[in-house]
Amino acid sequence: MIEINGAFGEGGGQILRTTLTLSLLNQVPVKIKNIRAKRSKPGLMRQHLACVKAAQTISQATVSGAELHSTELIFKPQPVKGGTYCFDIGSAGSTTLVFQTIMLPLMLAQKSSHITFKGGTHNPLAPPLTDIKHGFLPLIKKMGGKVDIETQQWGYAPFGGGEWIAKIHPSTLNPLTLTKKGVLIQSRIRSYISCVKHSIAQREIDTYRERSKVNIDVSESRNPPALSAGNLLTHRLKYEHYETCFSQLGQKRMPAEKIAERLAHDVNQHLESGSTLSPFLADQILLPILVAGKGEYTTSEITQHTETNINTIFEITGKKFDYWPESNLFKIKMG
Amino acid sequence: MKTVLISLLGTTLDLKGKGNKRWENWRPSISLCQQEDLIIDRFELLHGKNFSRLASNVKKDIAVVSPETIVNLVESEAENPWDFEEVYNQLLDFSLNYPFKPDEERYLLNITTGTHVAQICWFLLCEARYIPATLIQSSPSNTPEGTYQIIDLDLSRYDTISSRFKKQHLKDTDFLKSGIQTHNSAFNEMITEIEHVALKSSAPILLNGPTGSGKSHLARKVFELKKIRNQINGEFVAVNCATLRGDGAMSTLFGHQKGAYTGALSARKGLLSKANKGLLFLDEIGELGLDEQAMLLNAIEEKHFFPVGSDQPTYSDFQLIAGTHKNLHHAVKSGEFREDLLARIDLWHFELPGLNQRREDIEPNIDFELREYEAKQNHKVDFNKRARETYLQFATSHEAVWSGNFRDLNASIQRMTTMSEGGRINEQNVAKEIQRLKMRWNDSPQPSSNKELCDFIDQHAIDDLDLFDQQQLMFVIQTCLQSQSASDAGRTLFNQSRLKKSSVNDSHRLRQYLKKFQLNYDQLKGSAIK
């Protein structure tokens, strides 16, 4: 059985999720030790259990150690089955992390899947569902992945209460080469507000327009249904070769201007580097490229998350991602 | 193992309206269900009838944040949530009817919600193990989900607390022993028990032990301990009942009114009144007359009594410690002591061993006496090494009978310290003292129970008697010695046959019997006094 040291590198929940996904994809039993050893509350928390349970549900895996505070987990999967599933995780973390854990295995299953997610959709410590929809999924679709999502209700941290559906169909992923952006076709900013004053959206848009170093074609606000109050500011960029999305979550007691400034900072840095993918996407796209067998892209920064993920992938599959700096950016390549 | 949360609905804290804004506020019942490191499998939510709607709204919101939690709404209500008795009964009823399965489920009791009275009741029920749970407290923080703390009530797990308890406890027993580091385990156990009884109850205590075994000293110490602990605020009143004889006894104890009898020129308060809210120590209670006993019983039971010549009861609430060297159960049989009074004061009965039964405690007591001397005289006296060894060897040997117990030891040390020079008790002082003690103990009369038949009749006469008759005669003599009068002794001895006679003259029968051995009652009593 493959043993993974959960304390390696970033030492958090991502090692667990990547390991679960790879265990399902390669159909290998795994044992993870020292789970979240570097965190103040080590071991499995509710949000991690939610991922373990989802992975177990789609594969009928035999699991031991799936308990709160457990620092060791053994996961022995069976073939993944597509179908109708519902994962209600309440306020335990984000449903997007559960989605990312099981998306690729379900894509390789023989049957289509219809999955209902209930719980958090917009958490500060997970990719917001909006980013998944406008940043991550366009890349997957570009690679040939057949997946669509439908959002019914947003669920902001810390309560969750969101609801959305993912439809995943059997697909074959093709290699991705994304080293050039091409011409910028469209640039649009959008402020999503739920149960907060409309003026907040306007202030965010106004500030963002001042700070942005790129032309903005459309700026608008939206009022998605949500369980509780919340706000998200996004900037979607459509290039000749692909499209991507940056976002910043509103926080209690943080002025709208600050939210806009933060987002502008991230986007400007990305634009200056000339890279194709944000550091977040650079990390998230590793596993799809592994499945496709080949890929190459650029990013502005190799985060510890990315490094740890590359290492976990190598430990379990023996496949290696190389990365090196090139002028203002980093190039990441496999195969 | 499943985790079960038991909680009262927070009629204020959980009530934050129905709008989306409610999510921005900390609500303890919701908060406890959305902790990242705590899964509540079942939630027993207790609520009053008028709060059913709020309860079901809370249930719905819990389903959002924690879909795995099963919420049971339990209708349970105290009419007045600030009435201690009502709330306690309400929560006790709940806990008695709840099917706790501590082997299968882990219980958390939420003390965040409910009135302070409810919190206290939860705490008490939990501490008394009616609810096999640990306490959990939710508190607000920067984020709406707040934080929580689990409070374990098992005090034995808290090292510093338990060691502080131990220290305090040690101090109390130490106090009762006047700081004497006694080694005798039976004695130490008894002191621990007395400490317990003294601090937890105000029922009468009976101290049984030979004279000089420290009864009155211990009674005073119990009083001082209770005073330090603010359990008593009156005075310590001590009297030896052997000194209360005749007409004065009643008035000394219970007081009298002006003009109650000839010579009663002014009213007198009496010792029982003086001991109000304090502690009354009646030493040698076995010597108390029967009338006084009756009055005392009334005073203990009813907390009031009648002073001599008064129709108005006087109230006095005192703790009683009684001392005796007698076996009061024998005294009851012989009619000298009221059985009902004994039953009342015998609730806590402690036997104080004599010094010769606690030889291992002689050395610490010697040191205590030396310290006392030092405190009184303001200069230190101690034995030299050889002198101490010699004295100790004698003091702990069987040659030393210590018939006067601690009184003897105290006197012995006093004599030696007085005779000592330059703060040293030397071998010479000790040798003389040992001689003195030996002489004393040889001279002192043996206790009457140790008397032999030859003390009363001629040895030749004894030789002529059957063993059977010797034993019978000895028993009769002893009964006479312990009785107040000849008729008193007769009543004890002929206790059955006298019931069948139409006219009784027990003293006559007794005298007849004694006459056979050329003995008479008054002579017997006289020899005992000598």
Side-chain angles (χ1 to χ4, degrees), chain B residues 51 57 76 92 107 110 115 145 165 182 215 226 236 260 303 323 327 338 381 424 449 458 494 504 507 509-510:
Chain B
F51 291 94
N57 286 340
S76 167
L92 180 64
Y107 300 96
N110 181 20
T115 58
E145 74 265 34
F165 270 154
T182 53
K215 297 185 291 284
K226 294 191 85 142
F236 178 69
K303 302 202 188 306
N327 183 331
R338 291 184 66 110
V381 176
R424 287 319 251 188
S449 59
D458 200 295
F494 306 114
V504 288
S507 65
R509 289 174 74 189
L510 176 62

Side-chain angles (χ1 to χ4, degrees), chain B residues 419 427-437:
Chain B
M419 301 305 285
E427 287 133 288
Q428 215 181 351
N429 301 140
V430 166
K432 277 196 177 155
E433 177 59 25
I434 290 175
Q435 240 176 358
R436 228 180 268 126
L437 284 171

Side-chain angles (χ1 to χ4, degrees), chain B residues 168-200:
Chain B
Q168 188 63 42
H169 184 73
L170 259 184
K171 268 189 200 156
D172 292 341
T173 49
D174 231 30
F175 185 85
L176 289 180
K177 295 191 292 187
S178 305
I180 304 173
Q181 293 302 314
T182 53
H183 304 303
N184 185 285
S185 59
F187 179 76
N188 287 345
E189 263 169 45
M190 183 192 72
I191 290 291
T192 309
E193 274 179 47
I194 292 178
E195 183 245 352
H196 254 85
V197 171
L199 291 177
K200 287 193 176 161

Side-chain angles (χ1 to χ4, degrees), chain B residues 138-150:
Chain B
S138 167
S139 43
S141 68
N142 299 335
T143 53
E145 74 265 34
T147 57
Y148 75 95
Q149 294 82 34
I150 285 181

Side-chain angles (χ1 to χ4, degrees), chain A residues 31 40 43 60 78 89 128 153 166 200 296 318 335:
Chain A
K31 178 179 184 177
S40 62
Q60 298 299 308
Q78 306 219 11
I89 66 164
Q153 177 163 293
I200 288 177
E296 190 179 350

Side-chain angles (χ1 to χ4, degrees), chain A residues 48-211:
Chain A
H48 310 111
L49 285 178
C51 288
V52 174
K53 280 183 188 153
Q56 181 182 22
T57 305
I58 61 166
S59 69
Q60 298 299 308
T62 312
V63 181
S64 72
E67 284 157 29
L68 271 185
H69 307 292
S70 165
T71 55
E72 195 173 299
L73 181 84
I74 295 174
F75 188 85
K76 294 178 183 163
Q78 306 219 11
V80 174
K81 280 192 181 142
T84 304
Y85 297 104
C86 176
F87 299 117
D88 184 353
I89 66 164
S91 58
S94 175
T95 48
T96 58
L97 294 175
V98 179
F99 169 73
Q100 285 194 324
T101 308
I102 59 174
M103 183 199 76
L104 287 169
L106 285 173
M107 214 167 250
L108 301 189
Q110 289 176 354
K111 264 172 64 185
S112 294
S113 296
H114 181 281
I115 307 160
T116 309
F117 290 100
K118 289 183 185 176
T121 59
H122 290 77
N123 292 39
L125 298 175
L129 183 59
T130 315
D131 289 33
I132 296 285
K133 191 172 179 180
H134 300 298
F136 180 68
L137 288 190
L139 294 177
I140 299 297
K141 285 177 184 168
K142 191 176 161 66
M143 294 171 78
K146 292 173 200 150
V147 52
D148 276 301
I149 64 174
E150 234 171 70
T151 312
Q152 264 127 28
Q153 177 163 293
W154 286 33
Y156 289 102
F159 300 103
E163 191 169 337
W164 57 290
I165 289 161
K167 290 173 187 160
I168 302 170
H169 307 287
S171 339
T172 308
L173 293 184
N174 303 310
L176 176 77
T177 303
L178 207 58
T179 47
K180 292 199 177 73
K181 296 186 201 182
V183 184
L184 178 64
I185 298 166
Q186 196 185 45
S187 160
R188 87 169 48 192
I189 56 170
R190 196 178 263 184
S191 177
Y192 298 90
I193 46 170
S194 309
C195 313
V196 294
K197 278 184 275 181
H198 185 262
S199 63
I200 288 177
Q202 199 53 54
R203 279 158 60 201
E204 280 179 349
I205 289 168
D206 291 345
T207 312
Y208 194 81
R209 278 184 164 279
E210 278 170 33
R211 299 294 170 107

